[in-house]
Amino acid sequence: FYAPWCGFCKKLAPVWDVLSVTMEQTKSGVAVTKIDCTSDANKKLCGDFQVRGFPTIYGVTAAGDYYKYTGKREPSDFLAFSKDMTVDSTPFARPFVLNTGIAVLDDNWPMMRDDLITLYNFKKAALAVVFAIGVLTGLVLSRLCCCGGGKCAASAGGKKKKE
């Protein structure tokens, strides 16, 4: 992941080109790609991969595991990474893509997910309160919606006694 204006990305470009040609010549089966995060078409993908700086480099294994590269920026180091992606890298959880059809949820899922993780990690009591309020609100709403006509009183254990 890169940005055209990034000085580090410009410096890495020749190394990346050498790596791409080397991978193609050796028929390693490793694809070397560039994803421009300034392009509107790629912004969602960059968000899904939590790109916060440039360049950000990931490797994907045949099994579909993702690794964020943290090693040196030399062709030999990239070649070593392509052979064993656990070297000079950190595992990265596969990005979850929410596809509900509701644009507000789908477009803001990475931000909401990050907020929930932050709440879980640092504010567990606040998360528990928010969860409890949600459950109570759901119970009250379901009681109001389902029992508005008085039908629930009889079905909820309020059987009439025979005299």
Side-chain angles (χ1 to χ4, degrees):
F1 296 92
Y2 78 102
W5 48 260
C6 169
F8 295 112
C9 298
K10 290 176 183 177
K11 185 177 177 183
L12 183 63
V15 174
W16 204 248
D17 292 339
V18 167
L19 179 67
S20 178
V21 169
T22 303
M23 292 296 181
E24 191 175 314
Q25 288 175 346
T26 60
K27 298 185 190 320
S28 65
V30 175
V32 178
T33 61
K34 297 178 185 179
I35 299 171
D36 179 0
C37 288
T38 62
S39 166
D40 287 337
N42 295 330
K43 286 191 180 197
K44 184 171 180 348
L45 181 64
C46 295
D48 289 343
F49 277 90
Q50 302 173 4
V51 176
R52 305 279 187 257
F54 302 109
T56 299
I57 301 166
Y58 286 100
V60 183
T61 64
D65 297 322
Y66 291 79
Y67 291 91
K68 185 174 182 178
Y69 182 72
T70 57
K72 295 179 183 175
R73 307 294 169 101
E74 298 297 327
S76 59
D77 297 305
F78 287 129
L79 286 171
F81 176 65
S82 72
K83 292 175 184 165
D84 183 4
M85 293 192 188
T86 60
V87 174
D88 290 328
S89 67
T90 55
F92 180 75
R94 190 179 230 166
F96 175 75
V97 178
L98 190 65
N99 191 12
T100 63
I102 303 170
V104 172
L105 288 178
D106 294 344
D107 295 343
N108 294 309
W109 171 248
M111 180 181 65
M112 290 185 292
R113 179 194 60 221
D114 291 346
D115 289 346
L116 287 172
I117 290 170
T118 300
L119 276 174
Y120 178 76
N121 288 333
F122 300 108
K123 310 266 189 208
K124 288 185 175 103
L127 187 60
V129 168
V130 169
F131 180 76
I133 289 171
V135 169
L136 289 174
T137 302
L139 289 172
V140 168
L141 288 175
S142 68
R143 186 86 171 140
L144 289 174
C145 293
C146 294
C147 300
K151 297 176 185 175
C152 286
S155 65
K159 294 183 179 180
K160 294 182 181 178
K161 293 182 180 179
K162 293 184 181 180
E163 294 184 24

